[in-house]
Amino acid sequence: MADRGCPLEAAPLPAEVLESLAELELELSEGDITQKGYEKKRAKLLARYIPLIQGVDPCLQTENRIPGPLMTAATSKPQKSRATNSRDERFRSDVHTEAVQAALAKYKERKMPMPSKRRSVLVHSSVETYTPPDTSSASEDEGSLRRPGRLTSALLQSHSGIEPWLDRVIQGSSTSSSASSTSSHPGGRPAAAPSTTTALAGLTAHTHIDLHSAPPDVTTGLAEHSHYERPQVASVRGIPRGHGRNVLETADGVPVNSRVSSKIQQLLNTLKRPKRPPLKEFFVDDFEELLEVQQPDPNQPKPEGDQMAVLKGEPLSVGTSGPPSLLAALQLWGTTQPKAPCLTALDTAGKATCTLTYGKLWSRSLKLAYTLLNKLTSKNEPLLKPGDRVALVFPNSDPVMFMVAFYGCLLAELVPVPIEVPLTRKDAGSQQVGFLLGSCGVTLALTTDACQKGLPKAPTGEVATFKGWPPLAWLVIDGKHLTKPPKDWYPLAQDTGSGTAYIEYKTSKEGSTVGVTVSHSSLLAQCRALTQACGYMEAETLTNVLDFKRDAGLWHGVLTSVMNRMHVVSIPYALMKVNPLSWIQKVCSYKARAALVKSRDMHWSLLAQRGQRDVCLSSLRMLIVADGANPWSISSCDAFLNVFQSRGLRPEVICPCASSPEALTVAIRRPPDLGGPPPRKAVLSMNGLSYGVIRVDTEEKLSVLTVQDVGQVMPGASACVVKVDGAPYLCKTDEIGEICVNSIATGTAYYGLLGITKNIFETVPVTADGVPVSDRPFTRTGLLGFIGPDNLVFVVGKLDGLMVVGVRRHNADDIVATALAVEPMKFVYRGRIAVFSVTVLHDDRIVLVAEQRPDASEEDSFQWMSRVLQAIDSIHQVGVYCLALVPANTLPKAPLGGIHISETKQRFLEGMLHPCNVLMCPHTCVTNLPKPRQKQPEVGPASMIVGNLVAGKRIAQASGRELAHLEDSDQARKFLFLADVLQWRAHTTPDHPLFLLLNAKGTVTSTATCIQLHKRAERVAAALMEKGRLDAGDHVALVYPPGVDLIAAFYGCLYCGCVPVTVRPPHPQNLGTTLPTVKMIVEVSKSACVLSTQAITRLLRSKEAAAAVDVRTWPTILDTDDIPKKKVASIFRPPSPDVLAYLDFSVSTTGILAGVKP
């Protein structure tokens, strides 16, 4: 005890006093006495001795709770309690240890701080609050509570009693298991005198201890001889003696005050032990380590070209004669050309319902802007301020009111957010749209009177609150609801800066909806770039079939048209469904110079054009195909040109373009009179594309993709192609990557999403050496493609449709095109097919969902699915995980009638798709199954016994209960085979029903009891031996539909010793496809006879069958419908259990025949 600087032997206490103090300690630890009572009794016991020792020995001013003899006895007994930082070997698992180490390494790579204990803000861990350890040792009872010691004025006399204690604090003494500093509780003893504080502060300054860090690092730069790390304890525990009696430390390292009994402390000690994990956790494998890693094909194509250079477009010319801004153009045309037509809307009959002039557009927009700024108030304050977002909710049949609302918001310096009209409360993606509105802070929605009446209503008559939507105020902007502004009123709108002009919504691959912000400067640059690229002129007529609220329909039909005083004829989608030729008819009647369509519109026009002779398309100088980025649009373009070229359509008129919500218009093909190069096509190998490599092929091959160019990059823009994964390195000239654009005419950000904004809108492409290609950031377009000859842009797919299976990439559009090519109009309802991927075993798996026609039968469905799987396998060399067919008109629809892909995927994952036919093929596409388990020779130390199961290691095998060995008994030998069991059942329980055959309505059509099945099997066996003249061991093909006849024939073969081969019968309406499969199985199985029903027997020998196979080569065919009632002399009994029982053949979806011998 001399190392503490205060030997107790200097002033020993009497034995009876020491005994009383010990009993007092025990009462306090057991909770039988309060702290206050303890202090009173202890002070009473020591009252007579305190005056004798004051000023004699400083060490006695600390708490002398247990004298030297007791301390010696306590230290002589080793502590039996488990170390708090030791790990229970029962719960040790090598697999889990490796996982933890991997997680730690991952944290280290990410440079993230490891989790540490929290400390209470009420506890200040300074040297002043440290309590020096008293002279007593720790008790045997780990659960006993300790009280804090005191600091007295004796500390001023010498530092000899402080320095050793402080050194032990610095070194992390083993008597302390607390990871954080302790302090005396406010309810404990008073703090030391100010002079004591000064002394300790001096020591702190001398040793340079930072005691305010959490947790304190006491092992660095303090004591050179200290190597002990303070253990991190994550449980409630008592503080060792010398660090406070009534202080506990919680799992977060926060000292708390507590007075508990030993039973409660025992409960705490029990709770701090590691919990036994649930049984299922012992069998969770680390799939990342156990899955087979697909090795790259050494023969796979690799890019071999040079590194591409940044492609720069033509300069953007800013004419001095045109309006300086979009709103200036609106004012100019509205005041100087008020009667010039701006927009013509059509009804579902194709008649013009309204023609909006530039004068009307200007005046109505002014009225709306004035109303928004001056007539909408909330608590005597304007409801809207400049920069606020406003939702525009207008149907696709009302472009006039949408245009007024859009320009009214721009004039009022508000930000329009166009969205789709919610038809029901459960619209696909409606909740995500509500999230966008909420994140944008939208509180007002503009709509029309007719649209508001069609919205779902609440019981109060107001517009219902849609799920996930913020509370909205609805404003009807029809003329009678607006206020005419004063003659001298004019909005102070600034539309040339970097402020947000409008927000366009975009639905991502996962289904989330984000808002792409477009600034005023980007909007103006986009209008000027489109004017220059398309050669738009004043008073031209444009026919627009697209959605005017977003994308190219908005850019051309609402913005650029006003910039150039054009006349737009808007074709509603409802009219296109009724009359697909309506847009062509309007081009002819209005002598339109330009038309804005999609390849879908061209395709449906081809189907409806028969009989239309008065069609002339010679007025068109540009037919802009907005979805030219879809590689399969070339087929519609070529077919449309072949049909309408004789009706005035010139080949150079077709102008595909590529665009994205983030980059706006990326590229567009120009006619030759605008300086565009001749169009080009590229025939590419799909195998090369799946590896991201360009390989030119020939059109004669099946697995090729023919793509057309989408023209040159926009004026004033620069483009490059970067790698899809990892850092944005420039691709090689023969490599597929993501197209990036640098231009002032692009979107600026995702509203409110700074993280993904930086990744998409602020990409800096770099060369292979890591050198940035430009000092200005690029915008990722989400388009996959390359730069071809003549600096033409080619697009082969979209990033949203990319599916990475193994190491190969596949595009959803390519899979859809292959599925539609099987039977596009015969089976799939209106071509409605959705393709997406789901993650299975850390890899993408392809899922194909299609709507089948209402009159399709189950047989037709499976025939079509089998053919689709074969086509995808042969063309794309990839398997389909699941192919599901749903009834017509049941898939969730997008606003313009297409399939809502993300909602379809969500329903599939949730099991809410409700398909009528499903074909799962995991064996053809899941190629990275877990590694085979290895049987451990013995249970190692990393395993533990849980009941009768061995856990910890991967279980190498699982075995069921062993069958009882009854072969030695006569009873077992009597019923060793299935045929024996049927005979026994026919004698013991003859009337017991074995099988019931139900029809499609669920009614019973036939039954088979034990005796009936036995007698029918005897008749079949007799027919095989007499008519077929077969011997035991011969193979017999059973061509039956599922039913009792098949079961009877099966047992009949067993009765006579023949080997049955079950074969699915051919389909009467599709003999050409199904009958060769039957013939192949019969021949491969070497069947000596064919058993079937009378109807199928006739079908096998019919003239239709003769066209598919050679009917003369059939073996003996027996009809089992009218066989005589005969019994066999003796039922065959196999000489051993190893004799072949039956053969089972299956034909895979790719045409591979496989047989199994049970």
Side-chain angles (χ1 to χ4, degrees):
M1 300 299 294
D3 60 339
R4 301 203 181 195
C6 47
L8 283 175
E9 288 77 1
L13 294 175
E16 61 272 10
V17 175
L18 295 177
E19 185 177 355
S20 299
L21 287 175
E23 291 178 358
L24 204 58
E25 287 262 356
L26 183 60
E27 291 179 1
L28 179 63
S29 64
E30 294 286 348
D32 297 334
I33 189 174
T34 64
Q35 179 71 24
K36 188 174 182 181
Y38 167 79
E39 298 293 345
K40 287 183 178 181
K41 291 186 177 182
R42 182 177 180 276
K44 186 177 181 180
L45 287 173
L46 298 178
R48 69 182 71 175
Y49 303 103
I50 290 179
L52 298 178
I53 62 177
Q54 281 184 347
V56 177
D57 198 330
C59 69
L60 293 181
Q61 301 307 313
T62 59
E63 298 176 276
N64 304 324
R65 290 176 293 183
I66 302 179
L70 286 180
M71 189 247 172
T72 306
T75 54
S76 63
K77 296 182 181 179
Q79 298 231 358
K80 298 181 182 180
S81 60
R82 203 163 33 90
T84 55
N85 62 341
S86 65
R87 185 176 178 182
D88 195 331
E89 287 296 322
R90 296 178 302 154
F91 298 96
R92 187 175 184 276
S93 170
D94 289 342
V95 175
H96 186 65
T97 301
E98 294 172 3
V100 172
Q101 295 300 326
L104 294 176
K106 191 174 296 185
Y107 267 105
K108 187 176 181 180
E109 292 175 359
R110 295 168 59 184
K111 298 182 179 180
M112 294 182 61
M114 291 297 295
S116 61
K117 291 186 177 182
R118 295 180 300 167
R119 303 174 64 199
S120 173
V121 295
L122 301 177
V123 180
H124 301 282
S125 302
S126 60
V127 177
E128 293 91 326
T129 59
Y130 268 97
T131 303
D134 58 13
T135 54
S136 60
S137 72
S139 171
E140 290 182 26
D141 184 9
E142 185 181 335
S144 63
L145 300 177
R146 287 88 179 179
R147 65 177 184 272
R150 301 178 187 172
L151 286 175
T152 64
S153 59
L155 288 173
L156 298 175
Q157 301 179 12
S158 174
H159 293 314
S160 60
I162 298 177
E163 290 175 351
W165 158 72
L166 188 59
D167 288 341
R168 275 190 292 275
V169 172
I170 295 172
Q171 299 170 22
S173 173
S174 60
T175 60
S176 173
S177 62
S178 172
S180 61
S181 305
T182 59
S183 65
S184 58
H185 193 271
R189 297 183 180 273
S195 57
T196 307
T197 305
T198 306
L200 292 179
L203 287 175
T204 306
H206 177 70
T207 52
H208 305 287
I209 306 175
D210 183 12
L211 295 170
H212 292 276
S213 60
D217 186 0
V218 295
T219 61
T220 306
L222 298 176
E224 296 181 357
H225 58 278
S226 176
H227 301 284
Y228 178 79
E229 284 191 17
R230 194 181 301 271
Q232 299 285 340
V233 184
S235 60
V236 178
R237 56 177 177 257
I239 302 300
R241 186 179 299 277
H243 279 241
R245 162 169 297 180
N246 59 345
V247 181
L248 287 178
E249 186 178 307
T250 63
D252 290 335
V254 181
V256 296
N257 185 35
S258 177
R259 302 184 183 95
V260 295
S261 65
S262 60
K263 293 183 179 180
I264 298 179
Q265 187 61 42
Q266 185 179 3
L267 176 61
L268 294 176
N269 291 338
T270 303
L271 293 176
K272 76 180 181 182
R273 297 191 183 98
K275 293 182 179 180
R276 174 173 296 183
L279 182 62
K280 63 179 182 179
E281 291 188 10
F282 289 102
F283 306 98
V284 176
D285 292 328
D286 189 352
F287 284 108
E288 293 182 358
E289 297 180 1
L290 302 175
L291 295 180
E292 290 283 358
V293 179
Q294 188 171 357
Q295 300 298 328
D297 184 4
N299 300 321
Q300 73 181 43
K302 297 180 180 179
E304 302 171 352
D306 299 329
Q307 182 176 276
M308 72 161 298
V310 177
L311 175 63
K312 295 186 177 181
E314 60 186 279
L316 178 61
S317 60
V318 181
T320 57
S321 59
S325 67
L326 185 60
L327 294 184
L330 175 61
Q331 182 185 12
L332 175 64
W333 308 132
T335 55
T336 62
Q337 302 285 341
K339 295 185 178 181
C342 174
L343 178 65
T344 298
L346 307 177
D347 59 11
T348 55
K351 296 181 180 180
T353 58
C354 176
T355 298
L356 180 69
T357 63
Y358 279 93
K360 287 291 185 181
L361 176 60
W362 170 246
S363 62
R364 292 183 183 181
S365 300
L366 274 181
K367 288 175 63 177
L368 177 59
Y370 179 77
T371 303
L372 292 175
L373 292 178
N374 299 280
K375 297 301 179 180
L376 300 181
T377 59
S378 175
K379 297 181 180 179
N380 297 325
E381 293 183 1
L383 181 64
L384 300 172
K385 300 183 296 294
D388 286 352
R389 276 71 56 194
V390 177
L392 305 187
V393 185
F394 294 90
N396 294 309
S397 58
D398 197 351
V400 172
M401 297 307 296
F402 172 81
M403 202 169 190
V404 171
F406 192 91
Y407 281 100
C409 289
L410 293 184
L411 288 173
E413 293 187 288
L414 301 175
V415 180
V417 184
I419 61 173
E420 305 300 334
V421 178
L423 301 179
T424 65
R425 295 189 179 186
K426 297 181 180 180
D427 282 354
S430 176
Q431 187 172 358
Q432 295 296 330
V433 173
F435 173 78
L436 171 64
L437 297 179
S439 62
C440 292
V442 175
T443 58
L444 178 68
L446 305 184
T447 187
T448 61
D449 189 31
C451 181
Q452 189 189 36
K453 291 180 180 179
L455 294 175
K457 298 295 190 299
T460 58
E462 299 179 352
V463 178
T465 301
F466 300 96
K467 185 178 181 181
W469 284 40
L472 293 179
W474 293 82
L475 176 63
V476 176
I477 66 167
D478 296 86
K480 59 183 179 180
H481 299 280
L482 302 181
T483 303
K484 187 176 181 179
K487 291 184 178 181
D488 57 347
W489 184 86
Y490 183 77
L492 303 176
Q494 301 292 330
D495 63 337
T496 57
S498 59
T500 302
Y502 74 96
I503 297 177
E504 179 176 320
Y505 78 89
K506 175 202 172 184
T507 302
S508 66
K509 180 179 180 180
E510 293 77 17
S512 59
T513 299
V514 295
V516 180
T517 62
V518 179
S519 65
H520 287 285
S521 57
S522 299
L523 179 60
L524 179 60
Q526 175 73 0
C527 293
R528 289 174 173 171
L530 288 177
T531 300
Q532 181 175 336
C534 301
Y536 286 140
M537 301 177 65
E538 292 184 21
E540 276 192 328
T541 302
L542 168 69
T543 302
N544 181 23
V545 190
L546 305 184
D547 183 7
F548 50 80
K549 298 189 295 294
R550 60 194 304 267
D551 210 69
L554 175 66
W555 307 329
H556 290 262
V558 176
L559 304 176
T560 308
S561 61
V562 172
M563 193 78 179
N564 296 279
R565 195 174 65 81
M566 297 172 61
H567 179 204
V568 178
V569 180
S570 182
I571 312 294
Y573 179 71
L575 176 58
M576 286 294 296
K577 290 196 296 184
V578 176
N579 181 13
L581 276 177
S582 57
W583 72 274
I584 297 179
Q585 296 169 353
K586 297 308 171 185
V587 167
C588 300
S589 60
Y590 285 93
K591 303 298 180 183
R593 299 282 290 160
L596 190 61
V597 299
K598 284 189 175 182
S599 58
R600 171 202 62 192
D601 307 318
M602 304 169 70
H603 174 73
W604 291 112
S605 300
L606 291 174
L607 301 178
Q609 58 86 26
R610 296 178 183 177
Q612 296 287 334
R613 300 180 180 179
D614 55 346
V615 173
C616 181
L617 300 179
S618 58
S619 64
L620 278 179
R621 65 173 185 84
M622 285 193 76
L623 178 58
I624 303 174
V625 185
D627 64 339
N630 186 341
W632 297 95
S633 62
I634 184 174
S635 58
S636 298
C637 294
D638 291 346
F640 190 83
L641 178 62
N642 292 335
V643 172
F644 289 97
Q645 188 171 9
S646 60
R647 304 180 186 184
L649 182 66
R650 301 185 303 275
E652 64 271 13
V653 168
I654 299 178
C655 299
C657 72
S659 62
S660 73
E662 294 84 0
L664 307 187
T665 306
V666 177
I668 188 170
R669 185 190 294 176
R670 280 85 147 177
D673 57 349
L674 294 177
R680 289 181 177 269
K681 297 180 181 179
V683 182
L684 307 177
S685 167
M686 281 194 175
N687 182 58
L689 290 177
S690 66
Y691 291 103
V693 178
I694 303 169
R695 291 293 180 266
V696 179
D697 215 323
T698 59
E699 291 186 348
E700 288 76 17
K701 294 186 178 180
L702 294 176
S703 57
V704 295
L705 177 66
T706 303
V707 295
Q708 61 182 350
D709 71 278
V710 291
Q712 299 171 302
V713 296
M714 295 295 290
S718 300
C720 64
V721 182
V722 301
K723 295 183 180 296
V724 177
D725 302 321
Y729 288 103
L730 288 179
C731 290
K732 296 183 178 180
T733 54
D734 61 341
E735 188 176 4
I736 300 295
E738 184 178 5
I739 301 174
C740 296
V741 174
N742 167 244
S743 172
I744 58 174
T746 62
T748 56
Y750 291 130
Y751 187 87
L753 302 173
L754 300 179
I756 58 176
T757 291
K758 187 174 181 62
N759 296 333
I760 301 299
F761 295 92
E762 300 177 15
T763 298
V764 180
V766 294
T767 62
D769 300 329
V771 180
V773 300
S774 174
D775 56 349
R776 298 183 60 185
F778 281 65
T779 299
R780 291 180 178 268
T781 64
L783 303 176
L784 302 176
F786 60 95
I787 307 298
D790 296 332
N791 292 334
L792 294 175
V793 179
F794 289 82
V795 179
V796 299
K798 293 184 178 181
L799 202 60
D800 282 348
L802 188 65
M803 301 176 293
V804 182
V805 182
V807 296
R808 301 176 61 205
R809 305 172 184 169
H810 303 276
N811 199 277
D813 291 334
D814 300 343
I815 305 296
V816 171
T818 301
L820 285 175
V822 174
E823 284 176 355
M825 295 301 296
K826 185 178 179 181
F827 182 81
V828 180
Y829 180 71
R830 294 188 176 180
R832 294 175 58 81
I833 296 180
V835 173
F836 51 87
S837 62
V838 295
T839 302
V840 179
L841 295 183
H842 300 281
D843 206 352
D844 284 351
R845 312 297 174 189
I846 298 177
V847 177
L848 190 149
V849 183
E851 290 185 359
Q852 67 178 23
R853 295 178 65 88
D855 56 349
S857 64
E858 182 178 351
E859 188 68 26
D860 294 336
S861 302
F862 279 95
Q863 290 298 330
W864 182 83
M865 288 192 289
S866 299
R867 295 184 62 186
V868 167
L869 294 177
Q870 294 176 17
I872 293 176
D873 179 76
S874 60
I875 294 177
H876 304 277
Q877 289 85 46
V878 67
V880 177
Y881 178 71
C882 176
L883 202 160
L885 298 177
V886 298
N889 284 322
T890 56
L891 289 180
K893 294 182 179 181
L896 289 183
I899 299 177
H900 201 290
I901 302 296
S902 59
E903 185 70 17
T904 302
K905 178 179 179 180
Q906 188 65 27
R907 292 188 184 182
F908 175 83
L909 295 176
E910 294 176 354
M912 301 299 293
L913 198 59
H914 303 306
C916 51
N917 292 293
V918 177
L919 187 57
M920 299 286 294
C921 306
H923 56 285
T924 61
C925 61
V926 181
T927 57
N928 62 333
L929 291 174
K931 299 175 184 178
R933 300 176 184 269
Q934 300 176 354
K935 185 177 181 180
Q936 302 295 330
E938 60 183 6
V939 178
S943 303
M944 69 167 293
I945 303 299
V946 183
N948 295 326
L949 300 177
V950 179
K953 292 274 189 185
R954 297 194 74 215
I955 299 180
Q957 64 182 11
S959 58
R961 179 176 57 85
E962 293 185 1
L963 295 175
H965 295 282
L966 301 176
E967 285 77 2
D968 297 336
S969 63
D970 295 337
Q971 187 77 3
R973 285 193 296 268
K974 183 177 181 181
F975 302 115
L976 184 60
F977 304 108
L978 198 59
D980 300 334
V981 176
L982 179 59
Q983 296 178 62
W984 174 68
R985 292 288 304 277
H987 286 85
T988 56
T989 57
D991 297 328
H992 180 78
L994 288 177
F995 299 100
L996 297 176
L997 183 63
L998 306 179
N999 59 11
K1001 296 182 180 181
T1003 59
V1004 178
T1005 57
S1006 64
T1007 62
T1009 61
C1010 296
I1011 189 63
Q1012 290 173 345
L1013 183 60
H1014 169 68
K1015 291 183 177 180
R1016 294 182 65 173
E1018 280 189 325
R1019 280 186 272 171
V1020 171
L1024 287 174
M1025 289 187 292
E1026 295 180 4
K1027 293 184 178 181
R1029 301 183 181 279
L1030 300 181
D1031 299 326
D1034 289 342
H1035 296 179
V1036 178
L1038 309 183
V1039 187
Y1040 290 93
V1044 178
D1045 292 336
L1046 173 62
I1047 301 172
F1050 186 91
Y1051 278 95
C1053 292
L1054 297 182
Y1055 274 17
C1056 65
C1058 296
V1059 179
V1061 182
T1062 55
V1063 184
R1064 187 174 183 177
H1067 194 274
Q1069 277 84 34
N1070 199 7
L1071 281 179
T1073 304
T1074 57
L1075 190 58
T1077 303
V1078 176
K1079 186 67 180 300
M1080 179 174 58
I1081 296 177
V1082 171
E1083 292 177 351
V1084 172
S1085 64
K1086 298 180 181 180
S1087 297
C1089 179
V1090 176
L1091 286 183
S1092 187
T1093 63
Q1094 188 176 12
I1096 297 178
T1097 301
R1098 292 176 181 175
L1099 186 62
L1100 297 179
R1101 295 169 175 168
S1102 63
K1103 293 181 180 180
E1104 293 81 4
V1109 298
D1110 187 2
V1111 296
R1112 296 172 297 178
T1113 59
W1114 286 112
T1116 303
I1117 301 178
L1118 295 181
D1119 172 18
T1120 59
D1121 285 350
D1122 297 322
I1123 53 179
K1125 296 181 180 180
K1126 292 186 178 181
K1127 293 184 179 181
V1128 292
S1130 61
I1131 295 178
F1132 175 79
R1133 183 176 179 81
S1136 70
D1138 297 329
V1139 174
L1140 184 64
Y1142 70 96
L1143 283 175
D1144 186 16
F1145 283 86
S1146 65
V1147 181
S1148 69
T1149 55
T1150 56
I1152 300 176
L1153 181 67
V1156 180
K1157 292 182 177 181

